[in-house]
Amino acid sequence: FHKHQVEGEVGILINPPVSFQITHYKQYPPNVTKVYSYFECRRRNEAQFSEVVFFGLQYLLKKYLAGPVVTEEKIQEAKVFYQLHFRQAVFDEEGWRKILEKYDGRLPIRIKAVPEGKVIPRGNVLFTVENTDPDFFWLTNYIETMLVQMWYPITVATISREFKKILAKHLKATSGSLEGLDFKLHDFGYRGVSSQESAALGGAAHLVNFCSTDTVAGVLMAQRYYGCPMAGFSIPAAEHSTIISWGRHREKEAFESLLDQFPTGCVSVVSDSYDIFNACKHIWGGKLRERVLERGDDSTLVIRPDSGDPAETVIEVIRILEECFGSSVNSVGYKLLPSNLRIIQGDGIDLSSVKEILEKLRDEGWSMENVLFGCGSSLLQKINRDTLNCAFKCSYVESNGKGMDVYKQPITDPSKRSKRGRLSLRRNSDGFIETVEHGVGKPEEDMLVTVFENGSILQDYLLEEIRKNALLWEEEDPNCYQHNRDDLQAGEPLQKHIINGVP
Amino acid sequence: LWVAGVGAERPVCYSIQVTHYKQYPPNTSKVYSYFECREKKTDSTKDRKVKYDKTVFYGLQYILHKYLKGKVVTPEKIQEAKEVYREHFQDDVFNEKGWNYILEKYDGHLPIEIKAVPEGSVIPRGNVLFTVENTDPECYWLTNWVETILVQIWYPITVATNSREQKKILAKYLMETSGKLEGLEYKLHDFGYRGVSSQETAGIGASAHLVNFKGTDTVAGIGVIKKYYGTKDPVPGFSVPAAEHSTITAWGKDHEKDAFEHIIKQFPSVPVSIVSDSYDIYNACEKIWGEDLRSLIVARSPSAPLVVRPDSGNPLDTVLKVLEILGKKFPLEENNKGYKVLPPYIRVIQGDGVDINTLQEIVEGMKEHRWSIENISFGSGGALLQKLTRDLLNCSFKCSYVVTNGLGVNVFKDPVADPNKRSKKGRLSLHKTPSGDFVTLEEGKGDLEEYGEDLLHTVFRNGTIVKTYSFDEVRENARLKEGELKELLR
């Protein structure tokens, strides 16, 4: 496995925990020999999302936890640093040196996790962490901060999949198939995300569900950490600067130049620099109409509005384009623009606006084949750890040779209650996935797999299998789509169906 | 294209921009773009109580150092990029020629000039904050190639701005309820590490918060400051020993008192924060802190208080009830403003559900109930470092001027459906009017010298960082000014 040594900006010990965790080795009961913790996306009543996609752990393991992560130099640097930061000596120098001496700097930790890409209902254990050597009970929660950042790729992959559910439903209903579903939601999030690393991780998480992205960093992340040579594709596209640089009254020349530069293959042209409706009617549908029509079938012009109310704008644009270019009807009775003309709406897209747009289009008799979507901050940034209530909690300790189930149960918030004891995940006889607490789970039923132990990564998931695990059930068996699903909320598990049909 | 210093892991470009070199008008020799936090004249978000009239400019230096300076291109990287983009677009669209030119003529240094407002400056919305242009006519396409990486400055700007607005709220209520601003810099502690989307975000965001405050548990921020800005102090941010639920619950449900006792004894001479809501926060305050362990607490010095930490329930209600209980168990004093203060050996930190709106609610609620803000400090996590987007301050990078066929043209967008999205025209400069307000001059009017010097300074030119700011300067530029404090207290 390709190990990337963490530089750490000041060479601080691996990736430093939240400051206060430095002091925790002094706080556990005496004679504690094991601290066992777990991660879940807690369940909440009336939560918008009932199931989550597990993704991203392999990146964290490969990048930050695998192999020798401790050196004497780092111990010294950390010691000096924390002395200044806390204004006293609290750093556990001895503890870290023991790891160096006994394990050559490799972490005596075991992590068991759900296979990546699996879709698991909220409120279930997703991974567990424990120390494998009694001397290092404090290590479990030391690496918590790093591991709890799993909230991010999990949440992006989950939201992205929720989008896919909505898109699949409408695509199937208005076109009769799911063809092209993988390209219906394009990642536009790069510039709206908080850092390069987040862009890479979030971008990769989106690619669990789709193949369409402008966040190149995500493609590289998938390549490096998940073994996929090219996980996402894009097309040449204009942005405002390449249109407005031609001057206020030369929008047509700008558009035309794009058609010239990219005569074959798809090209996306942002058309709202001054007046989207004028651009559609008089330039695309007027002066350049012939140029558009003469493009081949695989050389689609994709018109991009980028302002105004999303649903209203899309409807108005498609009406104007129909006026200028005509339309045909597909096999299920919905209208189609000419096959080399499409629209991409990449402004103001989130789960509710995309629903609104698709419903309006459907009401007006338009197939979803006519549109694509781009999503930026709603996909990669407008989310946080509370979106899926991600939490990492201690559930079991051993001291003086005795095991004890531990938990929190704040009186002022029952939803913050944590699970107790050693945990396992299984599919019960009704086919539902559930967490077994108190250490009574049967090992042969346990869906959690040991992925990391004593510095080594034991499983290597490829994006290909992750994608399979995360497929919508409609995608797995398109013929199964016989029920009328209009009355079902996207994401609600059907009572009689297995939630995740992978053995 | 890969950029050195990123460990060849992350290219610094958005797919869309890869093909732009083909899209500008022929014979374009200059593309000049700028960055601003647009003003929003028509705000549709009704629940936006905070206006964010001014923004703190911060974070450019990190980007310049980490991603743009020095030799960013090698022949291997060009080859790799070419291959990746060929697969990504299923077509040869990558501007190999353009990048080879930069490699050969400039040894891989970027022929770009960036002019910016000094870091830490507090500037009203709707003003230019930095400009970017190519210095070599062949590289007109480079300006917007670096856009994606530069526009990520929205994040440190937004964290620093949001953090500063919270400082103003705390300053106001602290002054009103105690008559002084002592300890203000420790009143909002960064708890955000576990709630951010990546390690890198943690570093950037935490450093932005430290522009305004000194308390942090997000150590990564200190690393960013030391490496990219530098301070005269050994460290720019501090913390205290603190418990978390696992170090309490590991003792077992019936041993919360033992846990508390053990921890408080481990740290006798520094402040120690102990989360007290594992089972019943009110019982913990009344029985354990207030009775069982009371003698241990009262023996502590004022410089080493016990800090009680609730972590669930409605923030304001919980804080008030905790203060009430503690106020019954420990002798209260009335300060010279007439507000109640707990004895100096015990304090409270509220670190759950704190954002700029709940912060305002809590301090207001405390004031109403005659509690001084001296009693409390706050921790903020997701709201401080993650629950922010580029839309909060409408951060935007736009082209405003090009030279084509030797002629300069002022360019702009002005979408009919959204006047808020209109961009500025021409070459820009930032000035101060005689009355002290900031103004952005468009269309090159800054050249007329009507308003004195341009406040934008060249910070980067042709691969070299030509002007840097220390973190101390950044803090100085961003501090709350006399006038602002007066305004707050009116």
Side-chain angles (χ1 to χ4, degrees):
Chain A
F1 302 105
H2 200 144
K3 162 118 207 351
H4 292 263
Q5 193 73 16
V6 169
E7 294 182 332
E9 303 293 359
V10 257
I12 297 195
L13 220 51
I14 21 175
N15 271 63
V18 179
S19 298
F20 72 156
Q21 282 163 324
I22 295 290
T23 66
H24 287 169
Y25 71 102
K26 289 192 175 193
Q27 301 181 23
Y28 287 102
N31 307 317
V32 162
T33 51
K34 183 182 277 286
V35 172
Y36 172 106
S37 299
Y38 77 98
F39 178 100
E40 67 167 317
C41 299
R42 291 195 302 250
R43 199 191 332 250
R44 281 213 106 138
N45 296 329
E46 294 141 34
Q48 191 179 356
F49 310 110
S50 58
E51 55 186 14
V52 305
V53 178
F54 187 72
F55 176 73
L57 184 59
Q58 191 159 292
Y59 164 72
L60 292 179
L61 296 177
K62 286 184 177 180
K63 180 147 186 165
Y64 295 116
L65 295 178
V69 295
V70 181
T71 64
E72 183 58 41
E73 198 188 311
K74 286 183 177 179
I75 293 177
Q76 287 311 315
E77 276 191 73
K79 182 179 167 188
V80 167
F81 172 78
Y82 286 116
Q83 169 84 37
L84 293 166
H85 182 57
F86 285 101
R87 291 186 263 226
Q88 57 164 345
V90 285
F91 178 65
D92 184 14
E93 187 181 351
E94 276 321 301
W96 283 103
R97 192 162 290 115
K98 261 200 220 151
I99 293 184
L100 191 56
E101 286 157 9
K102 206 165 172 186
Y103 294 101
D104 199 30
R106 303 167 78 93
L107 298 175
I109 283 281
R110 176 182 306 118
I111 300 176
K112 298 183 69 166
V114 145
E116 299 221 14
K118 285 270 196 222
V119 182
I120 309 288
R122 295 274 287 273
N124 278 298
V125 58
L126 296 175
F127 66 89
T128 63
V129 184
E130 61 188 301
N131 54 302
T132 55
D133 180 323
D135 283 345
F136 304 105
F137 62 88
W138 48 269
L139 196 52
T140 306
N141 272 48
Y142 193 97
I143 58 176
E144 178 212 338
T145 325
M146 145 91 8
L147 290 173
V148 92
Q149 279 181 4
M150 277 295 293
W151 77 263
Y152 182 63
I154 287 175
T155 307
V156 175
T158 299
I159 301 282
S160 163
R161 191 170 180 275
E162 291 294 318
F163 268 107
K164 200 175 189 185
K165 289 177 183 174
I166 296 169
L167 294 165
K169 169 178 152 167
H170 283 92
L171 187 57
K172 182 75 184 191
T174 62
S175 79
S177 84
L178 291 179
E179 201 182 301
L181 177 62
D182 287 351
F183 289 88
K184 284 299 184 186
L185 185 65
H186 199 91
D187 175 353
F188 275 4
Y190 210 164
R191 53 171 67 106
V193 84
S194 49
S195 69
Q196 290 295 308
E197 188 181 5
S198 295
L201 194 46
H206 175 64
L207 293 172
V208 167
N209 306 294
F210 291 91
C211 293
S212 187
T213 184
D214 257 40
T215 303
V216 184
V219 161
L220 291 182
M221 159 90 52
Q223 195 183 75
R224 253 158 239 264
Y225 295 93
Y226 288 96
C228 184
M230 182 49 61
F233 304 92
S234 187
I235 60 173
E239 69 175 17
H240 291 102
S241 78
T242 61
I243 305 294
I244 67 180
S245 53
W246 291 72
R248 175 74 180 83
H249 301 288
R250 298 184 70 222
E251 197 179 15
K252 166 191 159 286
E253 279 79 0
F255 285 4
E256 195 165 21
S257 164
L258 281 154
L259 297 178
D260 291 334
Q261 289 292 333
F262 304 102
T264 56
C266 301
V267 62
S268 153
V269 185
V270 67
S271 304
D272 79 320
S273 301
Y274 313 108
D275 184 340
I276 174 72
F277 308 119
N278 175 72
C280 289
K281 188 160 185 171
H282 295 116
I283 310 182
W284 293 123
K287 301 191 181 132
L288 296 179
R289 187 176 175 276
E290 292 311 311
R291 295 291 315 269
V292 175
L293 287 174
E294 75 193 11
R295 290 178 75 86
D297 269 346
D298 58 353
S299 303
T300 310
L301 166 68
V302 186
I303 293 178
R304 179 161 81 90
D306 197 45
S307 50
D309 175 80
E312 283 169 27
T313 307
V314 168
I315 290 294
E316 186 58 25
V317 162
I318 209 170
R319 264 194 212 132
I320 293 173
L321 293 177
E322 184 184 28
E323 236 177 71
C324 302
F325 292 92
S327 64
S328 60
V329 171
N330 67 17
S331 59
V332 289
Y334 286 90
K335 291 192 286 186
L336 280 175
L337 291 171
S339 61
N340 58 5
L341 185 62
R342 293 287 178 259
I343 301 170
I344 182 166
Q345 175 65 27
D347 178 56
I349 292 299
D350 56 34
L351 287 168
S352 60
S353 66
V354 84
K355 239 187 244 170
E356 201 191 321
I357 295 171
L358 291 173
E359 274 159 19
K360 271 213 166 94
L361 280 172
R362 202 167 148 179
D363 289 341
E364 304 262 326
W366 288 103
S367 167
M368 199 190 119
E369 294 163 279
N370 293 295
V371 297
L372 305 128
F373 296 94
C375 190
S377 64
S378 289
L379 195 62
L380 299 192
Q381 182 63 24
K382 244 182 200 150
I383 50 177
N384 56 77
R385 192 165 68 95
D386 296 330
T387 305
L388 300 175
N389 298 106
C390 298
F392 187 102
K393 289 289 170 282
C394 178
S395 65
Y396 175 80
V397 297
E398 275 171 14
S399 42
N400 293 319
K402 259 182 59 180
M404 177 171 60
D405 295 351
V406 299
Y407 59 96
K408 66 182 267 197
Q409 191 174 27
I411 201 175
T412 46
D413 192 348
S415 80
K416 279 194 168 191
R417 182 175 62 84
S418 62
K419 297 190 192 304
R420 307 178 189 198
R422 309 185 68 109
L423 308 170
S424 58
L425 189 69
R426 71 172 195 141
R427 190 183 298 283
N428 68 18
S429 48
D430 292 323
F432 287 102
I433 294 177
E434 64 183 15
T435 296
V436 184
E437 300 183 43
H438 304 294
V440 300
K442 299 189 195 136
E444 64 271 17
E445 290 185 337
D446 193 2
M447 290 170 71
L448 301 177
V449 171
T450 305
V451 291
F452 180 93
E453 194 164 70
N454 300 332
S456 298
I457 297 180
L458 304 180
Q459 294 288 330
D460 197 12
Y461 297 101
L462 298 175
L463 188 65
E464 206 181 307
E465 49 186 303
I466 294 173
R467 281 171 155 169
K468 269 209 202 95
N469 286 339
L471 284 173
L472 303 180
W473 67 285
E474 301 97 301
E475 286 178 288
E476 289 182 60
D477 187 358
N479 297 321
C480 207
Y481 205 94
Q482 257 132 41
H483 318 281
N484 178 0
R485 296 198 78 192
D486 282 311
D487 52 319
L488 294 170
Q489 298 258 331
E492 233 181 70
L494 303 173
Q495 283 310 306
K496 298 284 189 305
H497 285 73
I498 290 174
I499 289 167
N500 194 7
V502 180
Chain B
L1 196 71
W2 282 226
V3 178
V6 183
E9 278 192 37
R10 300 180 277 271
V12 152
C13 159
Y14 218 12
S15 303
I16 195 179
Q17 285 155 332
V18 174
T19 67
H20 285 170
Y21 69 103
K22 290 190 176 193
Q23 300 180 21
Y24 288 102
N27 305 317
T28 295
S29 55
K30 183 181 275 288
V31 171
Y32 172 107
S33 298
Y34 77 98
F35 178 95
E36 68 167 317
C37 298
R38 286 195 311 253
E39 239 179 313
K40 215 154 187 201
K41 284 153 198 140
T42 54
D43 201 337
S44 52
T45 44
K46 294 176 209 100
D47 57 25
R48 219 41 102 65
K49 298 174 197 163
V50 187
K51 290 275 176 358
Y52 300 110
D53 289 332
K54 300 187 187 162
T55 64
V56 178
F57 185 73
Y58 171 71
L60 182 59
Q61 197 157 295
Y62 168 84
I63 297 172
L64 298 178
H65 268 293
K66 185 150 186 174
Y67 296 114
L68 296 179
K69 75 170 186 211
K71 183 171 181 165
V72 300
V73 168
T74 64
E76 295 76 36
K77 288 181 177 181
I78 294 181
Q79 258 313 110
E80 264 191 273
K82 187 174 163 190
E83 279 156 24
V84 167
Y85 288 123
R86 182 190 298 129
E87 288 307 309
H88 183 58
F89 287 100
Q90 296 285 293
D91 197 4
D92 270 308
V93 287
F94 176 64
N95 186 8
E96 188 181 356
K97 183 157 162 273
W99 282 104
N100 275 321
Y101 177 83
I102 291 176
L103 185 60
E104 282 151 27
K105 188 155 182 200
Y106 297 99
D107 192 28
H109 291 63
L110 298 175
I112 283 278
E113 177 166 345
I114 300 176
K115 299 177 72 162
V117 134
E119 297 228 11
S121 297
V122 182
I123 310 283
R125 298 275 289 275
N127 279 297
V128 59
L129 296 174
F130 68 86
T131 63
V132 185
E133 59 189 300
N134 53 303
T135 55
D136 181 324
E138 289 295 315
C139 303
Y140 61 90
W141 52 271
L142 195 55
T143 307
N144 271 47
W145 181 283
V146 296
E147 177 208 341
T148 326
I149 187 66
L150 287 171
V151 92
Q152 277 184 359
I153 199 179
W154 78 263
Y155 178 63
I157 287 178
T158 306
V159 174
T161 300
N162 187 48
S163 158
R164 191 175 186 276
E165 286 299 312
Q166 291 178 88
K167 194 176 187 183
K168 285 155 81 172
I169 294 171
L170 288 162
K172 174 179 150 100
Y173 284 87
L174 185 59
M175 191 54 128
E176 285 172 357
T177 62
S178 78
K180 45 192 161 80
L181 290 180
E182 200 179 300
L184 175 62
E185 288 170 326
Y186 291 91
K187 287 291 181 193
L188 184 62
H189 200 94
D190 176 349
F191 275 6
Y193 210 163
R194 49 171 68 107
V196 289
S197 47
S198 68
Q199 291 294 315
E200 189 183 3
T201 295
I204 300 169
S207 73
H209 176 64
L210 290 173
V211 169
N212 308 298
F213 289 90
K214 288 193 169 160
T216 185
D217 259 42
T218 305
V219 180
I222 296 173
V224 166
I225 292 169
K226 290 187 96 159
K227 190 163 179 179
Y228 301 100
Y229 288 86
T231 68
K232 60 181 186 338
D233 301 319
V235 286
F238 304 91
S239 188
V240 299
E244 67 174 18
H245 291 102
S246 78
T247 61
I248 307 294
T249 62
W251 293 72
K253 183 172 201 305
D254 300 317
H255 295 275
E256 195 180 19
K257 167 181 159 296
D258 298 321
F260 284 5
E261 187 171 356
H262 176 83
I263 297 170
I264 205 176
K265 282 180 173 165
Q266 287 290 322
F267 305 101
S269 45
V270 281
V272 60
S273 153
I274 302 192
V275 67
S276 305
D277 79 319
S278 300
Y279 312 108
D280 183 341
I281 175 72
Y282 305 125
N283 176 70
C285 289
E286 187 165 354
K287 293 276 151 52
I288 311 183
W289 296 128
E291 290 165 20
D292 301 335
L293 300 177
R294 190 179 184 283
S295 54
L296 287 180
I297 300 171
V298 305
R300 294 179 73 90
S301 96
S303 60
L306 163 69
V307 188
V308 176
R309 180 161 79 91
D311 196 46
S312 49
N314 173 276
L316 174 59
D317 295 340
T318 307
V319 163
L320 289 177
K321 196 160 172 193
V322 162
L323 285 171
E324 197 189 306
I325 294 174
L326 294 177
K328 289 205 177 96
K329 293 296 188 180
F330 296 91
L332 290 175
E333 277 202 8
E334 202 179 272
N335 66 20
N336 58 17
K337 285 278 186 177
Y339 289 87
K340 297 178 284 188
V341 191
L342 288 167
Y345 46 72
I346 188 164
R347 290 284 178 265
V348 175
I349 182 166
Q350 173 65 26
D352 178 55
V354 175
D355 61 35
I356 195 168
N357 294 314
T358 57
L359 181 72
Q360 168 77 32
E361 277 168 34
I362 297 170
V363 294
E364 213 171 287
M366 279 176 68
K367 184 179 170 195
E368 253 173 72
H369 284 82
R370 309 300 298 180
W371 287 104
S372 168
I373 305 304
E374 293 164 281
N375 291 299
I376 197 165
S377 54
F378 295 90
S380 185
L384 193 70
L385 299 191
Q386 179 64 27
K387 273 179 190 162
L388 307 162
T389 66
R390 190 167 68 97
D391 295 330
L392 187 68
L393 303 176
N394 298 111
C395 297
S396 150
F397 186 102
K398 290 289 170 284
C399 178
S400 62
Y401 177 79
V402 297
V403 175
T404 309
N405 292 315
L407 264 185
V409 181
N410 297 333
V411 298
F412 59 96
K413 65 182 270 197
D414 192 4
V416 69
D418 195 352
N420 286 316
K421 281 194 168 190
R422 183 169 59 82
S423 62
K424 299 190 192 302
K425 307 181 187 184
R427 287 167 48 250
L428 310 171
S429 51
L430 184 69
H431 306 266
K432 249 190 164 156
T433 66
S435 52
D437 299 318
F438 287 93
V439 65
T440 293
L441 295 182
E442 302 184 38
E443 300 178 90
K445 291 193 176 118
D447 294 343
L448 299 172
E449 299 196 359
E450 236 181 86
Y451 283 104
E453 56 160 11
D454 186 2
L455 299 173
L456 301 177
H457 302 284
T458 302
V459 290
F460 180 95
R461 190 188 295 119
N462 299 336
T464 309
I465 298 179
V466 298
K467 185 161 174 58
T468 57
Y469 299 92
S470 74
F471 203 67
D472 306 305
E473 290 175 88
V474 175
R475 279 176 154 166
E476 176 58 33
N477 288 336
R479 71 182 170 78
L480 299 184
K481 315 282 191 294
E482 278 292 322
E484 277 180 295
L485 287 167
K486 282 208 181 95
E487 181 77 36
L488 284 168
L489 295 168
R490 215 176 301 150

